[in-house]
Amino acid sequence: MYRSRVDVLYHFPLCFVQSLLHAFGRGPILSLLHLSVHYADVELAMAMHAAILRQLEDTHLSNSLIAAYLKLGRPSYARKVFDEMSRRDVVSYTALISGFAKLAREDEAVGLFFEMRASVHALATKMGYLSCTYVSNVLMEFYGKCACLSIMLKLFDKMPQRGIASWNTVASCLVKELMYERALVRVHDMLQTDNFRVDYFTLSILLVASAGCFASMAGRELHAHALRSGFETNLSVKNALIGFYRKCGNVKNVVVLFERMPVKDVITWTEMVTTYMEFGLVESAVEFLYRMPVKNCVSYNALLAGYCQNGEVSRSLGLFCKMVEEGIELSDFTLTSVVYACGLLMETKTSEQIHGFVLKFGFGSNDCIETALLYMCTRCGRMADAEKMFHRWPSDQNNSIIWTSIICGYARHGQPDKAISLFCLGQAEGTMTLDEVASAARSLRGRDLLCACKEMTKMRCEHLLELLNPFPWKRDYKDYLNGIPLSDAL
DNA sequence: ATAGGGTTAG
């Protein structure tokens, strides 16, 4: 019975491991590598590494070593083994690429990917090797992650043989791109064309897709399917079900599911915090967070975001301070929420303080943080800063949220002229949807809004009117429309 | 070796 690395090395010194290799082949080494992963024992993996150093031309053994190092959180060791291999195969590339991808080391993963394409994929294509589902699945995942969805789907359609993982990969890429209905339709096709049966991966992905597009019937059918097939007992499926009923059901559905779960993990508990927050039951959410047997930074982020959604500004700032003091891991999610909370607070000093914190911490800027920062500036009277961020924003990734924020900011801080001109520009360029135009319009005073209407087409104007219901100035607006023929205003 | 569930911006 394995208790520790010392035990193993005591019973099996290196020279013995090497003779094992000669006598019994790879089997014992592979088992020991498995044990090293299971017991999170890096040094055992390194001992195996030492034992098979001379066998590094054995591709199979080296691949297992790469996989072990990656699972043990030692990507640089994995890379070293890879670099020293004399013959790499698809498995070597696959292991390392997916390992780097999981660690968000995209540059290295993509670099390897192109290297693989040069050395393996071209050859594989010529030899018709794409029938290897592993190769195609990894290629598909990469095209999916590079937002090259059409290439991914083309590859999928060309695959002579598909495994259930191929279908799951396509569905999950579509879900990640927010194309929920397409994911549901694709898998529906799968059931009709290929004779595949969905597994617990498929069910989890599709439940997320159903929740994402509020496909309440589809989700319930998936639930029934899970019960019939027995996959309902799978933890991922149960957690995905909770997520579905959180979005398409009610608190009671979720609580019943939760209470009947024999095994729960940190994701289950975090789902409960999110559920209570989304239904406005702040105290229950807090209670659940403190009852959680294991929490991580995502759990705290869920609480923090929930405070913001429920207008509990001081509690969210308090929680953030506690997280910093207690050394709880912060992420871009954390910062986005706390910046947003400062926007709600509308205090210039606090906003500058948190702004400095974000810059100093140097969390890679992303759209969400930048948007939250801009929103915060517009709410805290820092319009000059907001303008700078607004103009710096790349024009090819137009974000309607920042348009709405800055228009509302101008309106709030006594600059209706600027608000109106941006408002007109935004709706003319089609940057903002009508819903968004309406939301920005609510921040404008009635008289200012009337000026803006002159710049709009009749259809837009009427649609806006519908959206503004029950906008307080609607009557004035109607009068205005009655008084002046719209054709004059166009 | 490939696929899965929880947290962010108006």
Side-chain angles (χ1 to χ4, degrees), chain A residues 117-133:
Chain A
R117 260 169 60 95
S119 67
V120 180
H121 186 203
L123 192 69
T125 312
K126 271 187 200 154
M127 294 172 68
Y129 204 48
L130 280 180
S131 58
C132 173
T133 35

Side-chain angles (χ1 to χ4, degrees), chain A residues 165-407:
Chain A
S166 320
W167 286 97
N168 290 342
T169 304
V170 170
S172 103
C173 286
L174 289 172
V175 167
K176 275 177 200 142
E177 293 291 315
L178 313 180
M179 301 164 93
Y180 305 118
E181 290 95 343
R182 268 184 87 176
L184 291 170
V185 170
R186 272 264 162 185
V187 177
H188 188 259
D189 290 349
M190 151 181 124
L191 295 172
Q192 306 213 313
T193 53
D194 297 1
N195 205 13
F196 275 120
R197 303 180 62 174
V198 299
D199 63 3
Y200 64 88
F201 281 99
T202 329
L203 287 171
S204 311
I205 299 166
L206 292 192
L207 281 166
V208 173
S210 309
C213 60
F214 296 97
S216 153
M217 272 310 289
R220 280 163 211 272
E221 279 166 20
L222 287 164
H223 190 176
H225 191 291
L227 285 165
R228 279 199 305 275
S229 59
F231 286 123
E232 201 246 3
T233 52
N234 176 276
L235 187 56
S236 304
V237 173
K238 272 252 164 61
N239 287 339
L241 273 170
I242 289 191
F244 168 74
Y245 283 107
R246 166 162 67 81
K247 282 204 167 161
C248 299
N250 55 44
V251 184
K252 205 175 165 215
N253 300 148
V254 172
V255 171
V256 167
L257 274 170
F258 177 81
E259 283 174 351
R260 288 188 188 158
M261 282 173 77
V263 180
K264 307 168 171 87
D265 68 0
V266 65
I267 296 184
T268 321
W269 286 87
T270 306
E271 271 284 9
M272 293 310 288
V273 172
T274 308
T275 302
Y276 284 125
M277 282 300 195
E278 281 186 4
F279 284 94
L281 303 166
V282 178
E283 304 315 322
S284 304
V286 177
E287 189 199 318
F288 258 75
L289 186 98
Y290 289 103
R291 270 178 55 197
M292 281 174 76
V294 181
K295 353 182 199 299
N296 60 22
C297 65
V298 179
S299 331
Y300 283 100
N301 288 344
L303 193 72
L304 192 67
Y307 279 146
C308 294
Q309 284 152 15
N310 287 286
E312 298 270 7
V313 177
S314 60
R315 286 171 93 175
S316 71
L317 292 178
L319 176 64
F320 176 70
C321 293
K322 192 185 145 192
M323 287 173 75
V324 173
E325 277 165 18
E326 295 186 2
I328 294 164
E329 188 190 338
L330 307 178
S331 70
D332 47 346
F333 286 83
T334 325
L335 292 183
T336 305
S337 290
V338 77
V339 167
Y340 179 59
C342 288
L344 295 174
L345 186 68
M346 298 209 277
E347 272 180 20
T348 311
K349 271 265 178 280
T350 316
S351 85
E352 284 165 350
Q353 197 183 344
I354 199 69
H355 206 145
F357 184 90
V358 171
L359 295 178
K360 191 172 150 195
F361 252 74
F363 277 91
S365 66
N366 66 32
D367 273 12
C368 287
I369 291 195
E370 296 288 320
T371 306
L373 282 171
L374 192 146
Y375 169 74
M376 178 182 77
C377 288
T378 64
R379 301 254 316 172
C380 298
R382 298 168 54 194
M383 286 312 288
D385 290 334
E387 271 171 354
K388 262 186 224 157
M389 300 178 72
F390 183 76
H391 293 302
R392 223 173 39 210
W393 205 277
S395 55
D396 58 327
Q397 18 177 305
N398 253 326
N399 176 340
S400 61
I401 304 176
I402 65 166
W403 281 75
T404 312
S405 295
I406 203 152
I407 290 173

